[in-house]
Amino acid sequence: EYDVAEPVAVRAGGFWESASLRPQQVSVTLPDTPKVGLSAGGSAWIAKHLKVDAFFAYVLYKDLVITDSEVEQINVYGEGAAITGNGALDVDGWTAGGQLSYAFGKPKG
């Protein structure tokens, strides 16, 4: 984090995370493969007790081909469940967020 001017700060960061699931357990609703993320953001005091924060990040997931999936989906038309997790997973994505916070007590500065 770097203070640009009295009320404004910027920040940047990154991360690497290993997968918590075995490839056979990965599904399109839970794309958990090893990943790398890069992010940037900032904050500004817009009033004596009021601060706004914003960020954006890009996450790159490792590509994965699954041929022996254990992921099942309920079969609403008949008996048992169907295996649905086989295929290629190629996921990357942007995320963004923001926050408005109020500081109780002694104000910043």
Side-chain angles (χ1 to χ4, degrees):
E1 184 166 310
Y2 177 75
D3 290 330
V4 176
E6 177 57 34
V8 178
V10 294
R11 62 188 66 87
F15 70 88
W16 173 82
E17 181 180 309
S18 62
S20 62
L21 299 175
R22 295 181 296 116
Q24 297 85 355
Q25 297 171 315
V26 173
S27 74
V28 295
T29 59
L30 186 58
D32 188 32
T33 66
K35 59 193 89 51
V36 173
L38 304 169
S39 64
S43 60
W45 288 90
I46 58 175
K48 192 172 184 177
H49 291 272
L50 198 60
K51 182 172 80 168
V52 63
D53 292 283
F55 81 93
F56 67 93
Y58 187 69
V59 181
L60 301 99
Y61 293 80
K62 180 181 178 188
D63 295 347
L64 182 63
V65 175
I66 304 167
T67 58
D68 54 352
S69 177
E70 298 171 356
V71 176
E72 296 181 346
Q73 178 177 325
I74 296 172
N75 183 356
V76 296
Y77 300 107
E79 298 291 321
I83 299 295
T84 61
N86 289 329
L89 181 66
D90 180 11
V91 179
D92 295 330
W94 287 97
T95 186
Q99 170 180 297
L100 184 63
S101 58
Y102 184 87
F104 293 95
K106 185 178 177 184
K108 180 175 172 46

